[in-house]
Amino acid sequence: MPAKPMNDDPEGSAAPSADENGATVKDGGTTTEGGGATAEDGRTTAERGGATAEDGRTTTEGGGTATPAGESTTPAAGSTTPTTGATAPATGSITPDEAVTPLIRGIAVLRELTEADGTLSLSGLERATRLARSTVDRITATLARMGYVRVDGRDVHLSPRLMELGNAYLAALRLPSLLASRADALADELDESVSLAVADRDGIRFIHQATRRRAMSLSFRIGDLLPVERTAPGPLFATEWTTADWQRWRERRAADPRDLSFTAVPPRKYGADERDDETFVSRTQEAAANGWALDDQLIEPGLVAVSVPVRSPHTPPAHRPPACVASVVSHTSRHTAHSLRTTLLPRLQAAVAQMEGELDRTPPPPPGTPPSDLALWTGASKQQLGRDFIESLARGLTVLTAFGEARPELTLTEVAQATGLARATARRALITYEHLNLVTQTDDRTFALTPQVLSLGFPPLSRTTLPDIAHPHLADLTSRIHESTSLAVLSDSGEEIQYTARVATGRVMSVNITVGTRLPAHVTALGRVLLSDRTTTTDTDTLTSIRSQGYALVDEELEEGLRAIAVPIRDRSGRVVSALNTAMHASRHTLRECVTDLLPELTTTATRIESDLHTATRYTHVPLT
């Protein structure tokens, strides 16, 4: 690839030239492995060959160590698994020469934020990833530009838009779209939690949850990773393991006997021993013979589950590995493991038969129009933000969004066309993702996303609520218009509104309303917007007008001197589920100014909230309160 001026240097080195991802090149584009660029922490680095550690050994950019004798290396900086395991490169894995260093570091930041339940301070990220503070600042600035994180003072928060990465995997998988409704129906029928999980190397990862809301309820989230040996689905997946798979599992068990790398489950009080390994082998043999498996309080006391594999009809009859596993999960106060097997297992098996029928009847998705030029926007951001924007990181992340329902597997050429990137750039991103176990290459030289894409923020974000989504947007709106802003929903009766989020402005005289407050719907701007979406034969001219113009303006009807204007918040189907308003004393804005000055700001904010809401609700349920 021809060299070009370095306008995207990942670490601010003073190299003479670089390719699209910041690699030092010379002699016609050959990457130098000992390039000697100076990193921000003052150490001498090579773009792929690595930094010189204090003990004189050469370390890889991802934090791994490559010794002259080929000794074992450490995982990439910021990886969520300290040794082997399902969420990071295996011990001894050396970063490929063509891997994109900024992309490795950006993924490390996202994984650390995920492990911290979505929020971590900048200094905390610096410690967790072992990256220089200036590097962390640039990565978070780039991720913020993409809408994937939000920087609030010294804290970094994951943003709902990041879920588009997990959505790409779930869309390509198709199983949640096809099977979620049947899992939900089974949960309603049994009044128990039902989950769908897929295999993720030597773990299982949830792709759907239908959870019963009780005082004693389950806390697992979509995207959570659990060790196979402590679950009911695990033995069913292990029936398909090769000798190499069993060896990898034993190495992980030896390296992490207390399951500290699986943060979704309580760590073992004591390390596992050989008897535990033998028990799992026996459970796998029983699962192969029975066609189902039990979890009798393996994760924690009181938690029991029964699982049945859902097999894809589109694989050869002689070998049909599970496409996923369906589980019914309960508590010993409601069911013992024995009663799960005798009482609920037959109903689970019947539901699984229906799921398999659904898979059999559903044709492949129509081709549709493939995306194109997904990454072209990054050039303008680089022009605007300069060094604070790491273009190679942003372009690399867009590669994941090239996959989808009609695009579960893509060739290198198709990835390049979808993103608008050069083939060499797309290839290096895919090499990096293979190293990080986020992408796998199939036998026919196509690429597919792995379940580990869900490790990039999906678990904490899958439990977000509409007030959580709206609050930062309300804060931004309040800072722009210098008036208090609120979000509200309609009560079940339709007679009242309930405030669910609010950001007050710092004025001596302001509207005194708190979250949870209820007011009559028909005399408030919020209520009229919400009522206008309910089409009835008794609609008034006022509600009809509000529905057509897209906003409601109320002048001193609830209280003298109080003026308010509100706009709707719509879900993915276009239904109004909430409303956004600002309220102020009538002396601060005329009725005309409310429409000309405040309404455009409200509409812009509503659009941003809706965008996040639509991303978050594609495969998860977002509570309105």
Side-chain angles (χ1 to χ4, degrees), residues 579-594:
L580 163 70
N581 92 326
T582 183
M584 77 295 295
H585 192 271
S587 63
R588 291 210 292 268
H589 293 279
T590 66
L591 292 175
R592 179 179 178 80
E593 288 171 342
C594 286

Side-chain angles (χ1 to χ4, degrees), residues 425-504:
T425 306
R427 176 175 173 272
R428 292 185 62 199
L430 291 168
I431 288 173
T432 305
Y433 286 136
E434 278 193 282
H435 170 65
L436 298 175
N437 298 320
L438 295 167
V439 163
T440 184
Q441 188 170 179
T442 61
D443 294 337
D444 59 354
R445 301 182 66 81
T446 61
F447 297 88
L449 301 181
T450 74
Q452 289 189 38
V453 175
L454 294 175
S455 71
L456 305 180
F458 213 90
L461 291 172
S462 69
R463 289 290 177 89
T464 193
T465 66
L466 181 55
D468 293 334
I469 292 173
H471 193 272
H473 296 291
L474 295 184
D476 183 58
L477 175 61
T478 296
S479 69
R480 295 199 310 269
I481 65 176
H482 307 290
E483 299 289 354
S484 298
T485 58
S486 303
L487 198 75
V489 297
L490 200 61
S491 65
D492 292 338
S493 67
E495 296 179 354
E496 294 180 314
I497 61 165
Q498 179 181 351
Y499 286 83
T500 57
R502 180 167 171 78
V503 174

Side-chain angles (χ1 to χ4, degrees), residues 49-60 64-68 71-74:
T52 303
E54 292 178 357
D55 60 2
R57 296 180 299 171
T58 300
T59 61
T60 65
T65 303
T67 68
E71 297 169 3
S72 62
T73 63
T74 59

Side-chain angles (χ1 to χ4, degrees), residues 140-440:
T140 54
T142 303
L143 295 173
R145 181 72 167 193
M146 300 184 74
Y148 287 172
V149 304
R150 175 173 55 87
V151 181
D152 183 8
R154 298 181 179 180
D155 292 331
V156 183
H157 308 269
L158 294 178
S159 296
R161 186 174 177 181
L162 178 62
M163 296 177 75
E164 70 180 11
L165 303 183
N167 286 346
Y169 164 74
L170 294 174
L173 185 67
R174 294 192 75 199
L175 294 178
S177 297
L178 298 176
L179 307 182
S181 61
R182 295 195 179 276
D184 294 344
L186 181 62
D188 292 338
E189 175 191 345
L190 303 180
D191 194 26
E192 299 289 352
S193 295
V194 174
S195 65
L196 300 176
V198 295
D200 190 351
R201 293 167 65 90
D202 55 356
I204 72 159
R205 201 176 289 272
F206 293 109
I207 59 171
H208 181 72
Q209 287 282 353
T211 304
R212 302 294 91 184
R213 297 299 180 185
R214 299 191 180 99
M216 181 69 70
S217 61
L218 304 178
S219 61
F220 294 134
R221 306 161 299 184
I222 297 175
D224 271 337
L225 179 71
L226 279 63
V228 287
E229 66 275 6
R230 294 177 65 181
T231 68
L236 295 166
F237 289 123
T239 60
E240 307 293 330
W241 280 5
T242 64
T243 301
D245 294 329
W246 281 103
Q247 179 61 28
R248 181 173 60 232
W249 172 73
R250 293 182 189 280
E251 289 173 355
R252 188 262 295 167
R253 295 273 288 159
D256 184 19
R258 295 188 58 207
D259 295 335
L260 297 177
S261 57
F262 295 87
T263 56
V265 298
R268 295 176 182 269
K269 189 173 183 180
Y270 305 102
D273 55 30
E274 291 184 3
R275 289 173 298 178
D276 295 316
D277 292 355
E278 293 170 359
T279 298
F280 181 62
V281 172
S282 298
R283 291 179 60 222
T284 301
Q285 294 170 345
E286 293 174 0
N290 297 333
W292 51 267
L294 283 174
D295 165 10
D296 189 359
Q297 307 180 73
L298 294 173
I299 292 178
E300 66 179 11
L303 184 65
V304 291
V306 60
S307 296
V308 173
V310 181
R311 301 189 184 275
S312 172
H314 303 299
T315 53
H319 181 71
R320 288 186 174 174
C324 66
V325 168
S327 304
V328 176
V329 188
S330 188
H331 194 271
T332 50
S333 59
R334 295 175 58 84
H335 286 280
T336 63
H338 176 75
S339 68
L340 275 182
R341 179 174 62 83
T342 57
T343 306
L344 301 188
L345 177 58
R347 295 153 83 178
L348 173 59
Q349 290 171 323
V352 165
Q354 293 176 332
M355 293 179 184
E356 291 177 339
E358 188 74 34
L359 295 179
D360 190 27
R361 291 188 299 271
T362 304
T369 303
S372 61
D373 298 335
L374 291 172
L376 289 190
W377 66 271
T378 63
S381 291
K382 182 65 177 177
Q383 290 284 341
Q384 294 174 12
L385 298 182
R387 187 177 181 277
D388 287 338
F389 185 79
I390 307 176
E391 190 173 9
S392 56
L393 169 58
R395 291 188 299 193
L397 287 172
T398 63
V399 167
L400 298 178
T401 64
F403 297 83
E405 183 175 5
R407 309 177 305 279
E409 296 181 357
L410 298 174
T411 64
L412 172 59
T413 297
E414 289 170 333
V415 170
Q417 291 172 344
T419 57
L421 298 174
R423 279 173 54 90
T425 306
R427 176 175 173 272
R428 292 185 62 199
L430 291 168
I431 288 173
T432 305
Y433 286 136
E434 278 193 282
H435 170 65
L436 298 175
N437 298 320
L438 295 167
V439 163
T440 184

